[in-house]
Amino acid sequence: MIDLNKEKLKLDYPCNWKYKIVVLETISIKKVLTDVISQREHSVKESKVSKKGKFKSYTLELLVHSDDDRTGLYENLGNHSDIKMVL
C-alpha cells in the first residue's frame, strides 16, 4: 500500500490550482481575496451554503507558478482572520 504522507505531489508548473474556501455568510469574499491575493488574476465561484446558512464556501482558481507559490497561498488564505477553512 502507498503511504500518501511520504509521497510528494508532482506537478508541472505553472498550472491552475483550486482552493475551497469557507467563510461566514456575512463576509465579503472579494475583500478577503483582495487582502490575500491582491491584483492576481483569479476566478471565484460560490459553491455551497451551510444547512443553517451561517457559512458559505467558494472555489478559488488561479495560476500558481511553483510549489512554494501554491503552498504559500494556502498558508496565507488559512491565516486570514475571516477565512474559517481552506481545502
Side-chain angles (χ1 to χ4, degrees):
M1 179 182 285
I2 297 173
D3 183 355
L4 295 178
N5 293 323
K6 293 180 181 179
E7 295 295 317
K8 183 160 172 86
L9 185 62
K10 296 173 186 161
L11 298 171
D12 292 324
Y13 292 101
C15 66
N16 284 329
W17 193 259
K18 292 181 183 179
Y19 300 91
K20 184 71 73 171
I21 301 168
V22 179
V23 297
L24 286 173
E25 183 274 330
T26 57
I27 298 298
S28 166
I29 192 66
K30 288 182 181 182
K31 182 191 175 306
V32 169
L33 293 180
T34 298
D35 291 349
V36 177
I37 63 174
S38 193
Q39 298 296 319
R40 232 170 134 160
E41 189 175 325
H42 66 280
S43 68
V44 63
K45 295 178 185 170
E46 187 175 320
S47 290
K48 295 183 179 184
V49 177
S50 65
K51 188 183 278 188
K52 294 183 180 180
K54 187 175 179 179
F55 298 97
K56 283 187 178 180
S57 65
Y58 296 88
T59 300
L60 167 67
E61 183 173 356
L62 70 161
L63 185 69
V64 293
H65 300 281
S66 66
D67 192 56
D68 289 338
D69 186 29
R70 180 180 59 81
T71 56
L73 281 167
Y74 176 83
E75 289 174 7
N76 290 339
L77 289 164
N79 289 333
H80 193 282
S81 61
D82 289 332
I83 296 177
K84 298 301 176 192
M85 184 184 308
V86 180
L87 303 172

Short mmCIF file of all heavy atoms in Angstrom, two decimals, residues 4 10 14 21 23 25-26 29-30 39 47 49 54-55 61 66 76 81-82 86:
data_model
loop_
_atom_site.label_atom_id
_atom_site.label_comp_id
_atom_site.label_asym_id
_atom_site.label_seq_id
_atom_site.Cartn_x
_atom_site.Cartn_y
_atom_site.Cartn_z
N LEU A 4 0.57 7.95 1.34
CA LEU A 4 0.49 9.25 0.69
C LEU A 4 1.20 10.34 1.47
O LEU A 4 1.57 11.37 0.89
CB LEU A 4 -0.97 9.63 0.45
CG LEU A 4 -1.73 8.74 -0.53
CD1 LEU A 4 -3.17 9.19 -0.65
CD2 LEU A 4 -1.06 8.75 -1.90
N LYS A 10 3.60 15.73 -7.60
CA LYS A 10 4.41 16.08 -8.77
C LYS A 10 3.52 16.84 -9.74
O LYS A 10 2.60 16.28 -10.33
CB LYS A 10 4.98 14.83 -9.42
CG LYS A 10 5.94 14.11 -8.52
CD LYS A 10 6.37 12.79 -9.09
CE LYS A 10 7.22 12.06 -8.05
NZ LYS A 10 7.31 10.64 -8.29
N PRO A 14 4.03 26.36 -14.58
CA PRO A 14 2.86 26.87 -13.90
C PRO A 14 1.63 26.03 -14.24
O PRO A 14 1.55 25.41 -15.30
CB PRO A 14 2.70 28.30 -14.42
CG PRO A 14 3.32 28.27 -15.76
CD PRO A 14 4.42 27.24 -15.69
N ILE A 21 -12.65 27.55 -0.15
CA ILE A 21 -12.57 28.49 0.96
C ILE A 21 -13.93 28.55 1.66
O ILE A 21 -14.95 28.68 1.00
CB ILE A 21 -12.19 29.89 0.46
CG1 ILE A 21 -10.86 29.83 -0.26
CG2 ILE A 21 -12.15 30.89 1.60
CD1 ILE A 21 -10.54 31.09 -1.02
N VAL A 23 -16.12 30.70 4.52
CA VAL A 23 -16.21 31.94 5.30
C VAL A 23 -17.60 32.07 5.90
O VAL A 23 -18.53 31.39 5.47
CB VAL A 23 -15.91 33.19 4.42
CG1 VAL A 23 -14.50 33.16 3.89
CG2 VAL A 23 -16.91 33.32 3.29
N GLU A 25 -21.17 33.71 6.32
CA GLU A 25 -22.07 34.22 5.28
C GLU A 25 -21.99 35.73 5.16
O GLU A 25 -22.17 36.29 4.07
CB GLU A 25 -23.50 33.76 5.62
CG GLU A 25 -24.55 34.13 4.63
CD GLU A 25 -25.13 35.51 4.88
OE1 GLU A 25 -25.17 35.95 6.04
OE2 GLU A 25 -25.52 36.16 3.90
N THR A 26 -21.67 36.43 6.23
CA THR A 26 -21.65 37.89 6.24
C THR A 26 -20.36 38.49 5.68
O THR A 26 -20.27 39.70 5.49
CB THR A 26 -21.84 38.41 7.68
OG1 THR A 26 -20.81 37.84 8.51
CG2 THR A 26 -23.19 38.03 8.22
N ILE A 29 -16.31 38.04 0.22
CA ILE A 29 -15.21 37.24 -0.34
C ILE A 29 -14.28 38.09 -1.19
O ILE A 29 -13.07 37.87 -1.23
CB ILE A 29 -15.75 36.00 -1.11
CG1 ILE A 29 -14.62 35.01 -1.42
CG2 ILE A 29 -16.46 36.42 -2.38
CD1 ILE A 29 -14.00 34.35 -0.22
N LYS A 30 -14.82 39.11 -1.84
CA LYS A 30 -13.97 39.98 -2.68
C LYS A 30 -12.95 40.71 -1.82
O LYS A 30 -11.79 40.82 -2.21
CB LYS A 30 -14.85 40.98 -3.43
CG LYS A 30 -15.65 40.34 -4.54
CD LYS A 30 -16.46 41.36 -5.30
CE LYS A 30 -17.27 40.67 -6.38
NZ LYS A 30 -18.04 41.62 -7.18
N GLN A 39 -3.88 41.82 -6.70
CA GLN A 39 -4.31 42.01 -8.09
C GLN A 39 -4.11 40.77 -8.96
O GLN A 39 -4.25 40.83 -10.17
CB GLN A 39 -3.54 43.18 -8.72
CG GLN A 39 -3.79 44.50 -8.03
CD GLN A 39 -5.23 44.94 -8.14
OE1 GLN A 39 -5.86 44.81 -9.18
NE2 GLN A 39 -5.78 45.44 -7.05
N SER A 47 -19.84 28.02 -4.01
CA SER A 47 -20.08 26.58 -4.09
C SER A 47 -21.35 26.18 -3.35
O SER A 47 -22.31 25.74 -3.95
CB SER A 47 -18.92 25.80 -3.50
OG SER A 47 -17.79 25.90 -4.31
N VAL A 49 -23.85 26.71 0.49
CA VAL A 49 -24.22 27.43 1.71
C VAL A 49 -24.55 26.35 2.74
O VAL A 49 -25.20 25.35 2.42
CB VAL A 49 -25.44 28.35 1.48
CG1 VAL A 49 -25.86 29.03 2.76
CG2 VAL A 49 -25.13 29.38 0.39
N LYS A 54 -25.18 29.80 7.85
CA LYS A 54 -24.17 30.57 8.56
C LYS A 54 -22.86 30.69 7.77
O LYS A 54 -22.17 31.70 7.87
CB LYS A 54 -23.90 29.92 9.93
CG LYS A 54 -22.98 30.72 10.81
CD LYS A 54 -22.85 30.11 12.19
CE LYS A 54 -21.89 30.91 13.04
NZ LYS A 54 -21.75 30.36 14.39
N PHE A 55 -22.54 29.68 6.97
CA PHE A 55 -21.29 29.65 6.23
C PHE A 55 -21.55 29.52 4.74
O PHE A 55 -22.54 28.93 4.32
CB PHE A 55 -20.41 28.47 6.68
CG PHE A 55 -20.01 28.54 8.11
CD1 PHE A 55 -20.72 27.85 9.09
CD2 PHE A 55 -18.92 29.30 8.50
CE1 PHE A 55 -20.35 27.91 10.41
CE2 PHE A 55 -18.55 29.38 9.83
CZ PHE A 55 -19.26 28.68 10.79
N GLU A 61 -9.87 29.70 -8.09
CA GLU A 61 -8.93 29.09 -9.05
C GLU A 61 -7.99 30.16 -9.56
O GLU A 61 -8.43 31.26 -9.92
CB GLU A 61 -9.68 28.45 -10.22
CG GLU A 61 -8.74 27.75 -11.18
CD GLU A 61 -9.48 26.96 -12.25
OE1 GLU A 61 -10.71 26.89 -12.22
OE2 GLU A 61 -8.79 26.41 -13.13
N SER A 66 4.80 27.81 -8.74
CA SER A 66 5.76 26.87 -8.14
C SER A 66 5.10 26.23 -6.93
O SER A 66 4.03 26.65 -6.48
CB SER A 66 7.03 27.60 -7.70
OG SER A 66 6.74 28.49 -6.64
N ASN A 76 -1.38 31.57 3.43
CA ASN A 76 -1.89 32.94 3.54
C ASN A 76 -3.42 32.96 3.63
O ASN A 76 -3.99 33.73 4.40
CB ASN A 76 -1.42 33.80 2.38
CG ASN A 76 0.06 34.09 2.45
OD1 ASN A 76 0.68 34.02 3.51
ND2 ASN A 76 0.65 34.42 1.32
N SER A 81 -7.96 36.14 8.96
CA SER A 81 -8.89 36.05 10.09
C SER A 81 -10.33 35.79 9.68
O SER A 81 -11.09 35.23 10.47
CB SER A 81 -8.82 37.34 10.92
OG SER A 81 -9.20 38.46 10.13
N ASP A 82 -10.71 36.16 8.46
CA ASP A 82 -12.10 35.95 8.02
C ASP A 82 -12.34 34.59 7.37
O ASP A 82 -13.48 34.22 7.13
CB ASP A 82 -12.53 37.04 7.04
CG ASP A 82 -12.71 38.39 7.72
OD1 ASP A 82 -13.04 38.40 8.94
OD2 ASP A 82 -12.54 39.42 7.06
N VAL A 86 -9.68 26.25 4.69
CA VAL A 86 -9.18 26.17 3.32
C VAL A 86 -8.89 24.71 3.01
O VAL A 86 -8.26 24.02 3.80
CB VAL A 86 -7.88 26.98 3.12
CG1 VAL A 86 -7.39 26.88 1.69
CG2 VAL A 86 -8.08 28.43 3.52
#
